[in-house]
């Protein structure tokens, strides 16, 4: 019996960069079974995502066509939670539920909702990868955007609305 059957790996926690068990990770053990603490915490994380993130992602994707969106090309590093994006060669829209790792180097790690498959998935993209981004405009739907514009005109006379619509949300 070879030692490869005894090798233990870990599930990587994208938010911390370590294993779910807290182990510092250097190189992955391809094909190795995850250690018990990693496996247990990873499974708990998956259940929480199914309970919390999946329903809200479904709702966002369902009413996506009714929202006013700004569409533009940018690098993947510009993606934010609430955005949707498409990649060249893939027609499916990916809805960004969460940016998992707030690092500035290495691949961008996202939790995305795939409406066609009705599931959440962790995605790793090169930060410089060109994507088509769809970002909701302030106000959400067309009706609420019209209401927002009229309220803005009353509360900020003389200030153009366009400067607010192109500003990034914090």
């Amino acid at each position: 019996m070879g030692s490869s059957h005894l090798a233990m790996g870990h599930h990587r926690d994208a938010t911390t960069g370590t294993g779910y068990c807290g182990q510092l990770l250097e190189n992955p053990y391809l094909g190795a079974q995850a250690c018990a603490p990693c496996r247990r915490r990873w499974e708990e994380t998956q259940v929480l995502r199914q309970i919390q993130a999946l329903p809200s992602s479904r709702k966002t994707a369902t009413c996506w066509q009714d929202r006013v969106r700004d569409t533009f090309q940018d690098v993947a590093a510009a993606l934010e939670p609430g955005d949707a994006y498409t990649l060249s060669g893939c027609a499916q829209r990916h809805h960004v539920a969460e940016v998992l790792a707030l690092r500035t180097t290495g691949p961008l790690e996202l939790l995305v909702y795939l409406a066609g498959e009705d599931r959440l998935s962790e995605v790793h993209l090169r930060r410089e990868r060109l994507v088509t981004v769809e970002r909701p405009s302030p106000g959400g739907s067309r009706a609420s955007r019209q209401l927002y514009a009229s309220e803005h005109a009353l509360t900020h006379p003389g200030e153009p609305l366009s400067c607010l619509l192109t500003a990034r949300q914090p």
Side-chain angles (χ1 to χ4, degrees), residues 98-156:
E98 186 177 347
V99 177
L100 296 174
L102 299 175
R103 303 178 315 194
T104 56
T105 60
L108 180 65
E109 299 178 44
L110 304 168
L111 180 65
V112 299
Y113 174 68
L114 304 170
E117 300 173 23
D118 191 35
R119 70 180 177 97
L120 293 169
S121 180
E122 286 187 22
V123 174
H124 301 249
L125 291 173
R126 287 188 339 263
R127 291 179 179 281
E128 64 277 4
R129 172 86 188 252
L130 189 63
V131 296
T132 301
V133 180
E134 294 179 50
R135 182 165 292 148
S137 295
S141 67
R142 286 173 175 41
S144 61
R145 185 171 176 182
Q146 289 171 347
L147 178 62
Y148 175 80
S150 61
E151 287 176 356
H152 177 77
L154 291 173
T155 57
H156 299 86

Side-chain angles (χ1 to χ4, degrees), residues 35-153:
C35 71
C38 274
R39 190 172 48 250
R40 183 178 50 80
R41 289 190 183 112
W42 180 81
E43 289 170 353
E44 290 171 356
T45 300
Q46 297 307 309
V47 168
L48 284 174
R49 285 179 177 168
Q50 296 300 315
I51 292 170
Q52 295 174 348
L54 187 58
S56 66
S57 296
R58 276 186 192 131
K59 182 179 177 185
T60 299
T62 301
C63 58
W64 190 254
Q65 294 303 328
D66 295 334
R67 298 194 67 149
V68 175
R69 304 176 302 280
D70 296 324
T71 303
F72 54 94
Q73 297 255 331
D74 206 338
V75 293
L79 290 169
E80 300 173 355
D83 289 350
Y85 70 93
T86 53
L87 301 166
S88 59
C90 179
Q92 186 172 11
R93 181 181 286 129
H94 303 71
H95 295 269
V96 179
E98 186 177 347
V99 177
L100 296 174
L102 299 175
R103 303 178 315 194
T104 56
T105 60
L108 180 65
E109 299 178 44
L110 304 168
L111 180 65
V112 299
Y113 174 68
L114 304 170
E117 300 173 23
D118 191 35
R119 70 180 177 97
L120 293 169
S121 180
E122 286 187 22
V123 174
H124 301 249
L125 291 173
R126 287 188 339 263
R127 291 179 179 281
E128 64 277 4
R129 172 86 188 252
L130 189 63
V131 296
T132 301
V133 180
E134 294 179 50
R135 182 165 292 148
S137 295
S141 67
R142 286 173 175 41
S144 61
R145 185 171 176 182
Q146 289 171 347
L147 178 62
Y148 175 80
S150 61
E151 287 176 356
H152 177 77

